[in-house]
Amino acid sequence: MHPAPSVILFSVFSGMGFGLLAFLGFGFVQAAGWIAFLWWGLGYGLAVIGLLAASFHLGNPKNALKAFSQWRTSWLSREAWASVATLLLLAPMALSDWLGLGLWRGFGCLGAVLALVTVFTTAMIYTQIKAVPRWHHWSTPLVFLAFALTGGAVLAGLAVAQVLLAGLVALLLLVWRIGDGQFARAGQSMNTATGLQGEISVFERGHTAGNYLLREMIYVVGRKHAAKLRGLSLVLVGPLPALVLALSGLAVWGFAVAALLHLIGALMVRWLFFAQAEHVVGLYYGAR
Amino acid sequence: MTALPQTTAKKLGLVIDLDTCVGCQACVTACKGWNDQGAGLSDQQPYGADPSGTFLNRVHSFEVQPPEGEAQIVNFPRSCLHCEDAPCVTVCPTGASYKRAEDGIVLVNEDACIGCGLCAWACPYGARELDQAAGVMKKCTLCVDRIYNENLPEEDREPACVRGCPTGARHFGDFADPDSKVSKLTAAREGYALMPDLGTKPVNRYLPPRKKDLRHEASVLAPLLDIQASGFAGWLDRVLGKI
């Protein structure tokens, strides 16, 4: 699948933002006044930047409001509702933390849960697609939620971030292993795609020039570097931030540097999430 | 509404005969020609260095070595299969994608499409292409503006690809009617669906290439060449055969 920068930025930034908002909503961060304002602002900023980035992926964004209409069937529509509901519901809690209004924390918890639900709906947009076997697996929502919680914990300056960073690395190693066998497990081949028996090879692709399918679904650029990128992203996303946190003695600057390193790693992992995902339509082109 | 209808009164679709198709691309051209009117199907740099365009129908060619018999070239037209359980419809966030309850045609309401491309991702068959100029999704409509069009002569009230096929490899009809031409053809020739395990329940059916004759392995002179050796040659034959 084509790793569109808009979708990578959207899912990483909004995931991290909603993760931070969840920790803030649950009240794990003891902050008041302008510090609270900045912290909530960071969460809202990341979430909103992510959602704005997503709109750049649209071919016809003037109809964007219509995306709220099909929540009964469409995960994309559900995500639109969940994200807006989260941002609205958490606003009173953010104001309360900032101005010290003493609003009941249960309200924040509700918003926090909804923030995680939003991340889940984002993941389901990909998980639901049977035509991309690597994504069509229970591990996809798990990875998205793990990224949101880990990134959120680092941004929230919580000591538990170190545990989450280690857990994320283990999860990624497992998921990559599962993912590499998913296409074969899905059992689709050029034979099932065409219904023809015997050995099949492509004689002519039907068009000599490129098309939308080849650009969007049969994106193979950069796959040869996938192994290197996996190693590099794994170091950036977990061990290196954890090391910085440990060396800094959980100081503020440590969390800032760790967050930045984790963010770069997360962007690389998400790039691989798309670039390594094979769509079954590739079978008609003798590609994956 | 992107909820799929429980049942459709008709199941309009195509039968594509892989035995008859010669890969001439007439259906591709006929489709593009008809559907390029009105909203159109845009091309990008059609005469430039890197041409690209929106098509609703593509014809691939495969080299197939069947388990038995000779290798053959199979031309394979690929377009929307108007699935009963169309994943492209349910993923649509705006309701632009829908399946008609009356005849089962899967359509896109371009006025509601946001061009997110999710439906194209959801389709296993590559039936949908995002028009790069219009920014909205395009797909086969089964020429909905031909098949019911009373301004056209009756023989033209079928999809342009079917009308344009010079070898009669494409057939259009109602699969819900067991007596229709397409139902009978499917039954007679063991028509099949593509990637049925994905649960999309395609309506369109493909007819497999007919069994070809086997090549005569032996020479036509075989009866004359099958000479039983006798005398010295026969003795030599027996001795050499035993070594």
Side-chain angles (χ1 to χ4, degrees):
Chain A
M1 304 295 287
H2 173 58
S6 55
V7 177
I8 292 172
L9 289 177
F10 147 65
S11 61
V12 171
F13 276 74
S14 74
M16 224 167 161
F18 282 115
L20 174 58
L21 288 176
F23 283 110
L24 293 171
F26 280 128
F28 284 116
V29 179
Q30 300 303 320
W34 286 101
I35 299 292
F37 176 83
L38 286 176
W39 233 323
W40 278 100
L42 182 62
Y44 268 88
L46 284 172
V48 171
I49 287 172
L51 294 173
L52 285 178
S55 70
F56 283 106
H57 187 63
L58 304 179
N60 195 22
K62 71 176 180 347
N63 285 337
L65 277 180
K66 288 197 169 77
F68 287 92
S69 66
Q70 304 301 313
W71 53 272
R72 286 187 196 84
T73 49
S74 167
W75 281 105
L76 184 48
S77 191
R78 286 170 197 161
E79 193 225 19
W81 276 107
S83 54
V84 170
T86 305
L87 295 179
L88 289 178
L89 205 66
L90 280 174
M93 202 71 236
L95 279 176
S96 163
D97 281 357
W98 171 29
L99 303 170
L101 304 176
L103 186 70
W104 180 51
R105 183 53 61 183
F107 205 72
C109 290
L110 190 67
V113 170
L114 208 55
L116 296 179
V117 168
T118 306
V119 176
F120 178 73
T121 57
T122 306
M124 284 309 290
I125 294 170
Y126 307 102
T127 311
Q128 67 180 340
I129 295 175
K130 280 188 187 172
V132 184
R134 187 184 285 272
W135 293 350
H136 189 63
H137 193 263
W138 54 263
S139 62
T140 304
L142 206 61
V143 168
F144 274 67
L145 281 167
F147 264 107
L149 287 174
T150 309
V154 174
L155 286 177
L158 300 171
V160 73
Q162 282 178 305
V163 181
L164 290 167
L165 285 167
L168 183 65
V169 170
L171 180 66
L172 281 177
L173 286 173
L174 175 72
V175 167
W176 282 339
R177 198 182 161 80
I178 296 171
D180 289 344
Q182 272 296 96
F183 199 93
R185 272 191 288 279
Q188 301 303 332
S189 61
M190 287 176 82
N191 294 90
T192 63
T194 61
L196 298 168
Q197 317 242 313
E199 280 177 50
I200 306 177
S201 57
V202 171
F203 183 66
E204 277 182 334
R205 279 182 156 185
H207 47 101
T208 49
N211 73 349
Y212 175 72
L213 300 177
L214 287 168
R215 287 190 298 268
E216 185 76 8
M217 255 78 77
I218 312 170
Y219 183 90
V220 292
V221 181
R223 277 203 197 146
K224 64 175 175 178
H225 297 304
K228 282 180 207 162
L229 278 173
R230 272 186 178 179
L232 201 58
S233 66
L234 201 68
V235 172
L236 279 167
V237 91
L240 214 53
L243 187 71
V244 170
L245 285 183
L247 288 178
S248 74
L250 300 180
V252 174
W253 69 264
F255 277 105
V257 174
L260 205 61
L261 291 171
H262 174 78
L263 176 67
I264 296 167
L267 289 169
M268 288 168 73
V269 172
R270 199 53 51 83
W271 187 89
L272 285 167
F273 175 76
F274 286 97
Q276 290 199 295
E278 308 98 334
H279 195 288
V280 294
V281 75
L283 295 168
Y284 292 106
Y285 290 88
R288 272 177 57 174
Chain B
M1 192 62 205
T2 56
L4 290 161
Q6 289 292 321
T7 52
T8 57
K10 285 184 177 178
K11 289 178 190 174
L12 295 185
L14 302 173
V15 161
I16 294 167
D17 189 343
L18 299 181
D19 193 70
T20 317
C21 176
V22 293
C24 69
Q25 313 272 337
C27 54
V28 179
T29 319
C31 169
K32 181 89 171 179
W34 178 262
N35 289 295
D36 205 18
Q37 306 173 83
L41 297 170
S42 78
D43 291 318
Q44 281 66 48
Q45 306 181 49
Y47 304 103
D50 186 19
S52 177
T54 318
F55 287 77
L56 311 181
N57 183 26
R58 307 268 189 183
V59 179
H60 299 247
S61 297
F62 296 106
E63 194 177 325
V64 183
Q65 173 62 61
E68 285 170 22
E70 296 299 298
Q72 46 184 276
I73 295 292
V74 177
N75 301 297
F76 189 93
R78 179 177 57 76
S79 59
C80 175
L81 310 172
H82 297 277
C83 301
E84 287 181 59
D85 200 347
C88 57
V89 170
T90 48
V91 298
C92 176
T94 66
S97 268
Y98 62 106
K99 184 172 175 70
R100 306 209 314 175
E102 62 268 37
D103 53 17
I105 301 180
V106 176
L107 291 174
V108 175
N109 172 10
E110 290 176 14
D111 291 335
C113 178
I114 51 173
C116 68
L118 193 53
C119 55
W121 289 8
C123 174
Y125 311 105
R128 291 170 169 246
E129 297 190 14
L130 192 78
D131 189 316
Q132 298 301 307
V136 294
M137 198 55 72
K138 307 276 177 161
K139 70 174 294 301
C140 162
T141 66
L142 272 182
C143 285
V144 70
D145 51 348
R146 288 175 67 96
I147 58 177
Y148 297 116
N149 191 341
E150 292 182 358
N151 295 318
L152 294 177
E154 196 163 347
E155 64 269 26
D156 282 338
R157 288 178 214 161
E158 57 181 13
C161 59
V162 176
R163 189 78 182 104
C165 179
T167 64
R170 304 177 71 98
H171 309 270
F172 165 71
D174 178 13
F175 285 86
D177 172 9
D179 294 324
S180 69
K181 181 175 67 177
V182 288
S183 295
K184 284 180 176 169
L185 262 173
T186 303
R189 298 270 310 279
E190 293 178 4
Y192 58 83
L194 305 182
M195 293 196 265
D197 293 347
L198 292 177
T200 51
K201 295 190 213 156
V203 168
N204 284 13
R205 288 289 181 269
Y206 284 76
L207 305 182
R210 288 184 175 89
K211 284 235 158 47
K212 302 288 187 281
D213 287 344
L214 289 175
R215 182 172 62 183
H216 291 288
E217 289 295 342
S219 160
V220 289
L221 297 172
L224 298 173
L225 294 172
D226 191 22
I227 301 161
Q228 295 298 318
S230 59
F232 175 71
W235 172 80
L236 202 60
D237 183 38
R238 283 196 299 280
V239 170
L240 288 174
K242 279 177 186 163
I243 294 171

